[in-house]
Amino acid sequence: MELEEARKAGLAPAEVDEDGNEINPHIPQYMSSAPWYLNAERPSLKHQRKWKSDPNYTKSWYDRGAKIFQADKYRKGACENCGAMTHSTKTCMERPRKLGAKWTGKSIAPDEKIETFELDYDGKRDRWNGYDAASYKHVIERYEARDEARKKYLKDQQLKKLEEKNNNQNEDGISDDEDNEDDLKVDEAKVDESKQMDFAKVEKRVRTTGGGSTGTVRNLRIREDTAKYLLNLDVNSAHYDPKTRSMREDPVPDTDPNEKFYAGDNQNRISGQALEFKQLNIHAWEAFDKGQDVHMQAAPSQAELLYRNFKINKEKLKSQTKDTIMEKYGNAAIEEALPRELLLGQSEREVEYDRAGRIIKGQETSLPKSKYEEDVYINNHTSVWGSWWKDHQWGYKCCQQTVRNSYCTGAAGIEAAEAAEDLMKANIARKEANEDMLAPAQEKKLATWGSEVPEDLDLDEEKLVEALKKEDERRREEKDERKRKYNVKWNDDVTPEEMEAYRMKRVHHDDPMKDFLN
């Protein structure tokens, strides 16, 4: 650490990298230290450079229109149209001939120069890669020739006008040497002024009813005015935004307001009709939020009319409220002043102070009041909320109620609450005693599917098994008529065992497991 501080102070020589270059000691360690996977033996800054650069990338471009070989006769595999070997017939860019070079053997086109480049990331995305700046030279020459012709034409026209004027004066017999010399001179200042007027024109697209058309819009800014960003060259002065050309604050706030012609863009926002327009917008937004069907851009006249009515009604309501208050409490500003004897009146009350100016006796010290309302009793209470605390609950001390904003019941309410509490405790104790004395209830034996079994019912297990077999046979006969016998004997007597077997085998539709039976 001491060596690093000495290097930063310039007392020790700077550290040297692998190539012998000095490393700036003020470079942070996280930039100078190489990653672990590079296995750097000594400090270096190579890892901060583009150390993965590919030397195969090139900056060159195609040689446009270059030819490499001119053949005398058609060669096998060449283009059938022009005879060049560097492309096929399908990709030939020449005009299709009536008879191609394959059949005529004449006008064989030379072979083009084919090049392949491996461009880097920037080279692939360079829009101007391969552009020749000399190809734009003819455009510049054309515009320069046009300007020269224009100047010559203007000069010829000026000379023609001067000659006609001189001829007219000679015919009239009036000649003045000084006037003739002035007239023969070409007014270069007027020509320069006309050029400046041309530069002041701005071509813009102007929307018309018949569609877009190009119109001329003149720049109305006076060129002699000082730019707003040049009024105060201090870097800590008002901020100037070059994109929007705005300077909100005053660049020269200490200058006399009567002398300065620019006081910042904010001055325009808070003066004139801009402030009224801002208030109109705010009123339209608030009215729309409250349900009024008003929109400043859709119906500006309606919004302005509503705003005017709102201001009139507001002034009426304000004056009406003022009159109501004055009628109720009076107006001390217009009343007569109190007599001097009453203002400077004396009393027989004696107040004693100590050396420090504190009151010893004669006047009770007033307790400081908070900003909240104190000693406010509501609903017939004689104490405030929070004067009673019981079982982690606040309440009123006068009636011991823990429900806020409740009506005061006084001492009768306290007695009723205590009686209710005693009754509740007695009921709880009696219930606990009855639960201890109750015997366990006998569970009733239920038959199949919840039906109760009569007390005198006695089922024989062997007969129940036989009845279940008969029930199964009956169900099989219902499914397959072929198993049904001819000599059917029917008996209307139903035994308890058969009834129980029917109940056990019956399919209940509310049974969730009915699909898994049989």
Side-chain angles (χ1 to χ4, degrees):
M1 294 298 292
E2 295 180 358
L3 181 60
E4 291 180 1
E5 295 296 333
R7 285 173 177 170
K8 290 181 181 179
L11 303 177
E15 197 172 7
V16 182
D17 60 359
E18 297 176 354
D19 299 334
N21 300 323
E22 294 183 352
I23 300 177
N24 191 343
H26 298 284
I27 294 178
Q29 186 179 5
Y30 72 89
M31 294 178 63
S32 60
S33 59
W36 59 270
Y37 49 82
L38 294 180
N39 297 324
E41 298 179 356
R42 55 184 303 175
S44 174
L45 295 177
K46 281 188 175 181
H47 60 279
Q48 294 288 350
R49 301 184 182 93
K50 190 178 179 182
W51 53 279
K52 282 189 177 181
S53 59
D54 193 348
N56 297 327
Y57 291 146
T58 179
K59 297 290 184 181
S60 59
W61 198 247
Y62 302 101
D63 192 1
R64 299 178 184 271
K67 310 296 181 182
I68 55 176
F69 180 72
Q70 175 69 53
D72 297 333
K73 60 180 181 179
Y74 181 79
R75 295 161 292 178
K76 185 178 180 181
C79 175
E80 298 178 358
N81 185 42
C82 64
M85 289 289 294
T86 52
H87 60 267
S88 61
T89 307
K90 190 174 182 180
T91 58
C92 183
M93 300 299 293
E94 274 198 17
R95 178 181 60 83
R97 302 181 185 180
K98 187 174 183 181
L99 287 176
K102 179 180 180 182
W103 294 277
T104 60
K106 298 178 181 179
S107 300
I108 304 297
D111 298 341
E112 297 94 349
K113 184 178 179 181
I114 305 298
E115 297 176 293
T116 57
F117 299 117
E118 187 176 359
L119 301 174
D120 55 356
Y121 181 86
D122 295 330
K124 292 177 182 178
R125 292 158 178 81
D126 188 4
R127 296 175 57 195
W128 298 93
N129 198 352
Y131 174 72
D132 186 10
S135 61
Y136 194 72
K137 186 177 180 181
H138 68 281
V139 180
I140 299 175
E141 292 176 353
R142 185 181 65 182
Y143 277 91
E144 289 179 351
R146 190 190 68 175
D147 293 340
E148 291 294 333
R150 179 175 173 273
K151 290 180 182 178
K152 185 177 180 181
Y153 175 77
L154 291 174
K155 194 169 184 178
D156 293 342
Q157 292 292 330
Q158 191 75 12
L159 290 174
K160 283 183 181 180
K161 290 180 180 179
L162 292 174
E163 289 177 358
E164 291 177 358
K165 188 175 182 181
N166 291 333
N167 293 332
N168 295 333
Q169 289 180 356
N170 292 331
E171 291 176 358
D172 297 338
I174 302 172
S175 62
D176 190 352
D177 295 340
E178 294 180 359
D179 294 340
N180 292 338
E181 291 178 0
D182 294 337
D183 292 339
L184 290 174
K185 294 180 181 179
V186 179
D187 193 356
E188 297 291 340
K190 290 185 178 180
V191 177
D192 295 339
E193 186 178 354
S194 64
K195 290 181 181 179
Q196 291 178 2
M197 293 300 292
D198 292 340
F199 281 112
K201 293 180 181 179
V202 181
E203 299 293 336
K204 292 185 179 180
R205 300 291 296 180
V206 180
R207 294 183 180 178
T208 60
T209 56
S213 62
T214 304
T216 303
V217 181
R218 293 191 178 275
N219 192 352
L220 301 178
R221 185 172 71 86
I222 302 175
R223 299 288 178 174
E224 286 78 8
D225 289 346
T226 306
K228 61 179 72 174
Y229 53 84
L230 296 178
L231 296 174
N232 191 351
L233 300 180
D234 187 4
V235 294
N236 297 323
S237 63
H239 174 69
Y240 174 74
D241 187 8
K243 185 175 182 180
T244 58
R245 299 180 182 178
S246 61
M247 181 182 287
R248 299 187 177 183
E249 299 178 4
D250 189 0
V252 282
D254 300 333
T255 311
D256 186 8
N258 298 326
E259 296 180 358
K260 59 183 177 182
F261 63 92
Y262 180 75
D265 295 340
N266 286 338
Q267 187 67 23
N268 300 329
R269 294 187 176 92
I270 61 175
S271 62
Q273 296 181 349
L275 188 59
E276 296 179 3
F277 185 72
K278 181 180 178 182
Q279 295 293 337
L280 179 59
N281 279 327
I282 294 174
H283 175 264
W285 297 336
E286 293 178 351
F288 182 78
D289 291 340
K290 294 179 180 178
Q292 292 287 341
D293 188 10
V294 57
H295 197 279
M296 187 59 196
Q297 282 70 34
S301 301
Q302 179 189 5
E304 187 174 1
L305 182 60
L306 288 175
Y307 181 57
R308 288 181 182 176
N309 295 336
F310 168 74
K311 289 197 295 184
I312 294 171
N313 295 333
K314 184 178 180 182
E315 290 295 331
K316 289 182 179 179
L317 182 61
K318 189 175 181 181
S319 60
Q320 184 179 359
T321 306
K322 183 179 179 181
D323 296 340
T324 305
I325 295 175
M326 290 175 63
E327 289 177 2
K328 186 175 182 179
Y329 299 102
N331 190 0
I334 62 175
E335 291 180 356
E336 297 180 359
L338 294 175
R340 187 177 181 83
E341 295 80 7
L342 184 59
L343 291 175
L344 302 178
Q346 298 180 356
S347 64
E348 299 296 332
R349 189 172 184 178
E350 182 181 357
V351 181
E352 185 178 351
Y353 299 89
D354 60 358
R355 291 185 178 180
R358 294 187 292 266
I359 298 175
I360 299 175
K361 65 178 181 177
Q363 184 178 358
E364 297 180 358
T365 57
S366 59
L367 297 175
K369 301 233 174 190
S370 66
K371 64 179 180 179
Y372 301 102
E373 294 181 348
E374 295 183 359
D375 300 334
V376 177
Y377 307 113
I378 60 174
N379 296 335
N380 204 28
H381 287 285
T382 57
S383 59
V384 296
W385 169 260
S387 58
W388 172 258
W389 170 262
K390 184 179 181 182
D391 297 336
H392 303 281
Q393 287 183 337
W394 292 104
Y396 297 98
K397 185 177 180 181
C398 55
C399 56
Q400 297 183 3
Q401 292 196 51
T402 57
V403 179
R404 191 166 188 178
N405 296 329
S406 60
Y407 194 80
C408 182
T409 55
I414 298 175
E415 295 177 359
E418 292 177 354
E421 186 177 359
D422 296 339
L423 182 60
M424 185 177 62
K425 290 180 179 179
N427 291 336
I428 293 173
R430 186 172 62 256
K431 186 176 180 182
E432 291 177 354
N434 292 336
E435 287 179 356
D436 296 339
M437 295 175 61
L438 288 176
Q442 297 180 356
E443 296 182 357
K444 292 185 180 180
K445 183 180 180 182
L446 300 178
T448 309
W449 295 104
S451 60
E452 295 185 359
V453 180
E455 296 179 357
D456 57 348
L457 180 61
D458 188 11
L459 297 177
D460 191 356
E461 296 295 336
E462 295 179 358
K463 292 182 179 181
L464 181 59
V465 173
E466 186 178 355
L468 289 172
K469 290 181 181 179
K470 288 182 180 181
E471 184 66 21
D472 291 338
E473 292 178 0
R474 187 182 67 79
R475 289 181 178 273
R476 282 196 297 270
E477 290 178 359
E478 289 179 357
K479 291 182 181 179
D480 192 357
E481 292 290 339
R482 293 175 298 176
K483 295 183 179 181
R484 187 174 182 181
K485 299 178 181 179
Y486 291 102
N487 51 350
V488 179
K489 292 182 180 180
W490 190 262
N491 189 6
D492 293 337
D493 297 334
V494 180
T495 61
E497 288 79 6
E498 292 177 351
M499 191 63 189
E500 185 66 20
Y502 169 75
R503 288 174 180 168
M504 294 173 66
K505 293 292 183 179
R506 184 178 58 178
V507 177
H508 292 263
H509 296 286
D510 55 350
D511 186 5
M513 302 295 291
K514 65 180 180 179
D515 296 333
F516 298 96
L517 297 176
N518 301 327

